[in-house]
Amino acid sequence: MPAAVSSLISTLSPSLVTVRDRLAGADQQTPVSVWHVLTTITDPRGRRGRRHELATVLVLALAAMLAGNCSLAAIADWAADAPSWAWPRLGVHRRPPSLSTFRRVLLGVDADVLDAVLHAWLAALTPSPGTSADLARGSLRAVAVDGKTARGARQPDSTRTHLFSMVDHQTWAPLGQVEAPTKGSEIAAFSALLDRLDLDGLVVTADALHTQIRHAHYLHRHGAHYVLTVKANQPRLYTQLKGLPWTQIPITGTTHDKGHARRETRTIQVTSAKPHLRFPHARLAARLIRYRAPLNQPAKTSREVVYVVTSLSHDQVSPAILAELVRGHWAIENRVHHVRDTTLREDASQVRTGTPPRTMATLRNIQIGLARHAGLTNIAAATRHLAHRNERVLNLLATGALPKVTGASTLN
């Protein structure tokens, strides 16, 4: 993690923890608004000719995106149409920023610092990750990590912008992201991203790309646990897993689901990883088999076998929970990355070069996280709901919550 991000988070942490405690307590006080948190970021612009504070421009961009505006031009239009009564709450004095101001700010702001600060603020609104004590009580808190390519964006060398991010399994809230120059460089971004979290007692799920020896050592060193998929990129480990006596190991869980015009059955078998597997800190190995068949053609059943290795023990995780952790990993794809692509039209964005694609991706993450924290689980419905309700948008940015009226928490 860049030194600037580490020092900034260290500076912000006491106030953010206080906010989280206030939100969780019965006697709640006014929480820190996102505007005040953003004032801690250094403005990259010179003082001469500067009409709007950095925090004002960024909060306006986030507010406009909450209201369903996906492009820089749409953001500038929303800001220009914002009612004058809302200006003091947004930090606007004479008139809202112009399109060129939004473009200059998003181009110049430090994307790593902005991402760390905004996700730290969002995390302060939600319960903190579990600790070792929680794990001992059987309460698991899991985080999924995965990469995503912003297909419409380009780097100066014509490569696409690739982001490596993490999402909470339970709340589906984004927890942060860092840029990886290419998809293959996700491995180097693994620790840089997870360094932002208190890893003690946390379970980290990842796909086969991150089934790496150094990742296992890193998580163990920080008191965390892993649930990793194993494929042919780890040929020795994959061969060892495949060679276990699975025919002699009983099936300890079966689930059935129906959706997307197909029926799916999943089974899981779990066995001790020792002394069979040579992978750091591995305690359990699992084989999951998925049977899928179209509802109108049950004879066309496909079979997929997935092998998993985890540092959790039998005392810490049941086969059913382990299966849920494996399945829940894909929340990062289904609940965040897919939403950014389809509902928020990230891949179709015309913001293509420089740092703006990265900063816009961060704002989309916060948009999703704020909506989910407020109980608006359907992001498309949440966007429609907030599109013409400026007071609700401002309240969401100031407190992370919406008034308990009009059934807002049940939108679908």
Side-chain angles (χ1 to χ4, degrees), residues 14 40 43 65 67 86 129 133-134 146 171 246 251 282 333 339 363 399:
T40 62
D43 195 327
M65 293 179 75
D134 297 321
D146 196 21
T171 64
W246 294 111
I251 294 174
E333 177 65 33
V339 172
L363 295 178
T399 67

Side-chain angles (χ1 to χ4, degrees), residues 10-95:
S10 298
T11 302
L12 290 174
S13 292
S15 62
L16 293 176
V17 170
T18 300
V19 174
R20 185 182 63 216
D21 293 341
R22 288 175 180 173
L23 289 172
D27 183 19
Q28 295 183 0
Q29 302 179 33
T30 303
V32 176
S33 72
V34 67
W35 190 91
H36 287 97
V37 170
L38 288 171
T39 58
T40 62
I41 301 179
T42 302
D43 195 327
R45 301 169 296 168
R47 287 190 173 275
R48 186 174 182 179
R50 188 197 305 172
R51 294 188 177 92
H52 305 281
E53 294 188 47
L54 177 73
T56 296
V57 180
L58 293 173
V59 169
L60 278 167
L62 181 55
M65 293 179 75
L66 282 168
N69 300 280
C70 300
S71 68
L72 287 179
I75 289 171
D77 288 343
W78 185 91
D81 293 338
S84 57
W85 59 261
W87 289 6
R89 297 176 63 178
L90 294 166
V92 176
H93 300 296
R94 295 183 179 179
R95 62 178 181 272

Side-chain angles (χ1 to χ4, degrees), residues 226 241 246 270-274 277 281-286 308-319 322:
Y226 60 77
L241 280 167
W246 294 111
V270 181
T271 186
S272 174
K274 296 179 179 180
L277 303 184
H281 317 293
R283 293 187 177 183
L284 298 177
V308 173
V309 63
T310 178
S311 60
L312 293 165
S313 68
H314 278 296
D315 294 334
Q316 294 168 322
V317 65
S318 66
L322 183 57

Side-chain angles (χ1 to χ4, degrees), residues 393-407:
V393 170
L394 297 179
N395 193 72
L396 188 57
L397 290 174
T399 67
L402 291 172
K404 301 291 185 181
V405 296
T406 70

